[in-house]
Amino acid sequence: MSVKKRLWRIWAAFGGMRMERKLFIVFLLLITLPLAFIGYISYSNYSRSIEGKTIVYSTKMLENMMVRVDDYIEDMVRISSIPAYQDDIKQNLIRSNAYYEQRQLTAGENSSQLPDDFDQLLLIQRGIEGNISFINTIKRGANSVYIFDTYGNGYYSTAGGGIRLNVKESYDYWRGRVQTSGGEALLFSTQKYTSNLQSVRYAFTVVRKVIDKSLKPIGLIAVDANISVIEDQMSELDKVTNGKSVIIDELGNVVYDSDKSRMATNIADDPTVALAKGAKGSFYFERDGINQLYIYTTSPNTNWKVMTAIQGSELTKDTVVIRRVTWIATIVTIIVALFISFVFSFALTNPLRRMMRLMKNVQEGDFNVQFQVKYRDEVGQLGTQFNRMIVRIDHLIRDIYVIEKKKKEAELHALQSQINPHFMYNTLESIRMAAELNDDQIAADMIAILGKLLRYSISDLHEEVTLDNELLHMRNYVEMLNYRYPNRFRLETRVPEELLSYPIIKLVLQPIVENAIYHGMDDNKPSMRIEISSEQTSQIIWLRIKDDGLGMDGETLERLNRSLAGAEEAAVKRKSGGIGLKNVNERIKLHYGNAYGMKVMSERGIGTEVILQLPIELGREAE
């Protein structure tokens, strides 16, 4: 069923309701729709406002946190530059390089078997580690400071604990990365390591070369930053947003993770990392069936990106309360308003119901009724007019009764003086007999045919005749025309015998043949052929009236068919003689129904064919 039909059925059902129900539904819609719309708009705007404020506030917190982290890293970079200004550190590194260089030159590959100069090594170690202890006191969070000579020998202080057990591997990794860096500090993402206290720790590291006055590398310094500094910042952020945060570098390596589960791993293939495009922004992503809001920003100094994931339920927990309160208030308001509207609708329609009961009494013939008018509103005015109308109808009925009585008397007098149609038939028959007595056979035949035509035409047009009678009338009609235009018209009928008894309304063929003769006759042809044929299916009969006359052009034919369909009127009457065809078409539709009627096909210079569509059932079909 189409949407249009459904809407029409709903509208029809609404139109059939009682008035108080209509008013109740109208009040229901007028009250419910605005309140629901206002509630929805308020809830949506509030939700968007909460989301927008959360994004702005969280972004600001992320930016402030990254500023503090950048400041912390900047301090680590400054700490890593201290050896460049401490001659004591550089001198000890030069001594360490010279010591191990001398050992290699003296013993070659067997340098490991040479006895160490403990006094020299102790002097170097105390000199460098003393400065390292000083460096550790400069900035809180410098967890461990490592200084290496060019041969990879490391010096560090164990006062604070947490020294890497894999110092050698870390040195090789750092040295390879800073080989081409000049003297600039490089920032390494968080690494996982085991300390000398047998505990697992995480640290990100600032590394740079140590260069002497001649810009020659004499060693390397590495400063492990305490991850707890970032942890404090992130804990504060997560507490405010009720979310989970992560910091990643440009390559997707995790610098810090609130859950600690992804620390020192690479999450470049995580879909949220791909969605976090640009310096900052926000987006929604569903993870494990939970819709989450991701807010991110990027440090302009380190290009580290911090991202916070906040569950959607955390964003909307305040709006849920607002929504519940709004819906409760809306429902209570609707209930109260509907009760009031029900009372008003009943009060408004009660006078109309009383008037309907009075109308039913009038319909049954009781005109001794009167509507009691209490108020001068529209219903009261309608009641006053109703009372006047009842009085006026009562007077009119009485007047009509008197007029009809007088009219019947006049018709009786008219019938008495009316000429009997049989008098006309008898007169024509007398003229025919006189013509035969005078040996005027043609005149006698013409009068005889004219009498048949008149007898067939004057009787009731609504009377049904057989198709055989209608065809006989057509033969008489064409024969009468051939007396006027000798041998000019040839009528051929091809109708099966079983259809000759088909009941059809009278005079449907004669106007069609007449129209063909007077509007389609071609003076250039010696005669005009008219053919009447029929076809039938299980439900429909087609009668075809075809001529070989002048025919019609496409424009005239289109206007004629539109006229038959009721879409055009004047032009067809004027040019195509369509009045008779239109009357026949209307009579068929009135008698058999709108599904039946007439259609015309024609071609200029070829002829015209009129097709009548009739029901196969014998007898009349109501529309």
Side-chain angles (χ1 to χ4, degrees):
M1 183 184 295
S2 64
V3 177
K4 186 176 181 182
K5 289 184 178 180
R6 289 180 180 175
L7 293 176
W8 174 252
R9 287 191 176 183
I10 294 174
W11 180 253
F14 179 78
M17 291 181 181
R18 296 174 62 181
M19 184 61 69
E20 62 266 21
R21 292 184 180 178
K22 291 182 181 178
L23 290 175
F24 185 78
I25 292 175
V26 170
F27 286 145
L28 176 65
L29 295 177
L30 290 178
I31 295 169
T32 304
L33 293 181
L35 287 177
F37 179 74
I38 292 172
Y40 173 76
I41 293 298
S42 300
Y43 172 74
S44 300
N45 289 338
Y46 185 72
S47 299
R48 286 194 295 269
S49 176
I50 291 295
E51 179 183 332
K53 290 180 180 178
T54 301
I55 293 174
V56 172
Y57 180 70
S58 299
T59 302
K60 191 66 178 177
M61 288 192 63
L62 293 176
E63 291 175 347
N64 293 336
M65 189 204 71
M66 289 306 296
V67 168
R68 291 192 291 271
V69 172
D70 288 347
D71 291 342
Y72 176 76
I73 294 174
E74 185 64 28
D75 290 341
M76 297 299 101
V77 171
R78 292 192 184 99
I79 290 173
S80 70
S81 66
I82 290 177
Y85 306 102
Q86 291 287 335
D87 290 338
D88 190 21
I89 296 176
K90 289 192 289 186
Q91 290 299 326
N92 282 305
L93 284 176
I94 292 173
R95 293 190 188 100
S96 179
N97 290 332
Y99 173 78
Y100 286 104
E101 180 181 4
Q102 184 63 35
R103 284 176 61 86
Q104 287 185 0
L105 292 175
T106 303
E109 295 180 356
N110 295 322
S111 59
S112 59
Q113 299 177 359
L114 291 178
D116 292 328
D117 187 350
F118 289 106
D119 293 336
Q120 178 71 11
L121 289 177
L122 184 61
L123 180 64
I124 296 172
Q125 181 175 352
R126 287 179 177 178
I128 296 177
E129 289 181 356
N131 285 283
I132 291 176
S133 299
F134 169 74
I135 292 174
N136 279 333
T137 60
I138 294 177
K139 178 69 176 179
R140 183 185 69 86
N143 188 41
S144 300
V145 178
Y146 306 86
I147 296 179
F148 301 89
D149 62 15
T150 56
Y151 293 93
N153 300 293
Y155 303 93
Y156 38 82
S157 173
T158 59
I163 301 302
R164 296 171 181 256
L165 291 182
N166 60 341
V167 173
K168 180 61 177 174
E169 292 80 0
S170 298
Y171 169 76
D172 294 336
Y173 173 69
W174 293 332
R175 181 184 179 187
R177 291 287 303 277
V178 301
Q179 194 70 31
T180 58
S181 65
E184 296 84 5
L186 293 185
L187 178 63
F188 290 83
S189 183
T190 300
Q191 297 174 337
K192 179 180 178 181
Y193 67 90
T194 302
S195 71
N196 58 343
L197 301 178
Q198 299 301 316
S199 61
V200 176
R201 297 191 178 187
Y202 297 93
F204 59 91
T205 310
V206 174
V207 181
R208 78 160 74 214
K209 292 180 181 179
V210 180
I211 303 175
D212 62 8
K213 293 181 180 180
S214 61
L215 302 181
K216 178 182 177 182
I218 58 175
L220 180 147
I221 181 172
V223 182
D224 275 346
N226 194 338
I227 200 70
S228 63
V229 177
I230 296 181
E231 186 174 15
D232 294 339
Q233 302 287 339
M234 296 291 276
S235 298
E236 181 182 354
L237 175 65
D238 292 345
K239 185 183 296 184
V240 174
T241 61
N242 290 320
K244 298 294 181 181
S245 304
V246 63
I247 299 177
I248 58 175
D249 63 11
E250 291 181 283
L251 302 177
N253 298 311
V254 177
V255 178
Y256 180 81
D257 179 29
S258 295
D259 291 334
K260 302 289 196 317
S261 60
R262 298 183 292 179
M263 293 282 287
T265 62
N266 187 283
I267 60 170
D269 57 346
D270 192 294
T272 57
V273 176
L275 291 173
K277 299 177 181 178
K280 61 180 178 179
S282 62
F283 59 89
Y284 277 97
F285 183 78
E286 185 173 323
R287 189 186 294 275
D288 298 329
I290 301 175
N291 196 31
Q292 295 180 323
L293 173 64
Y294 286 81
I295 306 170
Y296 62 92
T297 187
T298 306
S299 167
N301 298 332
T302 62
N303 287 326
W304 284 2
K305 185 167 292 184
V306 56
M307 186 185 307
T308 297
I310 306 173
Q311 292 188 9
S313 57
E314 291 293 333
L315 290 174
T316 59
K317 63 181 181 180
D318 293 334
T319 61
V320 169
V321 177
I322 297 297
R323 181 180 62 185
R324 290 176 180 173
V325 173
T326 302
W327 279 118
I328 291 174
T330 301
I331 292 172
V332 172
T333 304
I334 289 174
I335 293 174
V336 174
L338 290 180
F339 175 76
I340 296 174
S341 65
F342 177 78
V343 174
F344 271 96
S345 63
F346 183 82
L348 289 173
T349 58
N350 187 47
L352 296 177
R353 285 194 296 272
R354 288 191 287 111
M355 186 177 294
M356 287 178 59
R357 289 193 293 269
L358 295 177
M359 287 182 176
K360 288 182 179 179
N361 294 336
V362 173
Q363 185 179 359
E364 294 173 357
D366 182 12
F367 291 92
N368 296 321
V369 297
Q370 188 175 17
F371 182 79
Q372 293 182 358
V373 179
K374 295 182 179 180
Y375 307 103
R376 299 304 301 171
D377 57 3
E378 286 79 1
V379 177
Q381 295 179 18
L382 181 61
T384 301
Q385 297 299 325
F386 173 78
N387 293 334
R388 292 178 181 176
M389 180 186 68
I390 295 302
V391 174
R392 180 61 177 162
I393 289 176
D394 188 35
H395 291 165
L396 288 175
I397 289 176
R398 294 180 182 180
D399 293 342
I400 291 173
Y401 175 75
V402 174
I403 293 172
E404 287 293 327
K405 184 177 180 180
K406 292 180 179 180
K407 182 179 178 182
K408 288 182 178 179
E409 292 177 355
E411 287 178 350
L412 288 174
H413 290 295
L415 288 173
Q416 291 175 357
S417 60
Q418 188 178 27
I419 297 176
N420 193 328
H422 291 285
F423 173 76
M424 184 180 295
Y425 304 148
N426 294 334
T427 302
L428 288 173
E429 184 64 20
S430 299
I431 296 173
R432 185 187 66 81
M433 292 180 64
E436 286 185 353
L437 291 175
N438 293 327
D439 294 330
D440 193 347
Q441 187 62 38
I442 294 178
D445 292 342
M446 291 178 66
I447 293 171
I449 294 173
L450 179 59
K452 294 178 182 178
L453 293 175
L454 287 174
R455 183 183 296 273
Y456 191 83
S457 302
I458 291 175
S459 58
D460 187 7
L461 285 177
H462 297 288
E463 178 186 354
E464 283 189 344
V465 298
T466 63
L467 182 57
D468 190 26
N469 290 337
E470 187 74 1
L471 293 174
L472 178 59
H473 177 66
M474 290 311 306
R475 295 188 189 96
N476 291 332
Y477 177 72
V478 174
E479 185 177 354
M480 189 69 179
L481 289 176
N482 280 326
Y483 279 113
R484 183 179 178 185
Y485 306 100
N487 301 321
R488 190 67 186 271
F489 305 102
R490 291 186 295 111
L491 177 64
E492 298 178 5
T493 58
R494 295 189 294 106
V495 178
E497 185 176 355
E498 61 268 17
L499 290 181
L500 293 178
S501 59
Y502 177 79
I504 189 172
I505 57 176
K506 185 182 291 185
L507 292 177
V508 294
L509 298 179
Q510 186 264 333
I512 299 173
V513 174
E514 180 181 356
N515 188 79
I517 291 173
Y518 286 99
H519 296 282
M521 186 169 62
D522 189 353
D523 294 334
N524 296 324
K525 294 182 179 179
S527 63
M528 183 178 188
R529 177 175 169 270
I530 301 172
E531 179 184 302
I532 301 177
S533 60
S534 67
E535 297 178 16
Q536 73 177 88
T537 64
S538 59
Q539 295 181 344
I540 296 175
I541 289 178
W542 284 283
L543 290 180
R544 301 178 181 271
I545 301 91
K546 185 176 181 181
D547 65 72
D548 58 355
L550 292 172
M552 289 178 279
D553 55 45
E555 182 180 355
T556 304
L557 177 63
E558 182 180 0
R559 285 200 303 269
L560 176 58
N561 281 318
R562 290 185 61 187
S563 174
L564 294 176
E568 191 168 331
E569 186 73 21
V572 175
K573 288 183 177 181
R574 197 167 54 244
K575 293 184 179 181
S576 63
I579 299 177
L581 298 181
K582 186 173 180 63
N583 288 340
V584 172
N585 185 55
E586 290 176 352
R587 287 178 59 208
I588 292 174
K589 289 183 178 295
L590 289 173
H591 191 81
Y592 297 109
N594 286 328
Y596 306 99
M598 176 190 300
K599 183 179 180 181
V600 181
M601 295 188 298
S602 182
E603 186 174 352
R604 193 69 176 175
I606 302 299
T608 302
E609 182 177 10
V610 179
I611 303 173
L612 303 183
Q613 182 175 331
L614 305 172
I616 191 64
E617 292 86 354
L618 300 182
R620 178 175 179 175
E621 286 189 354
E623 180 177 349

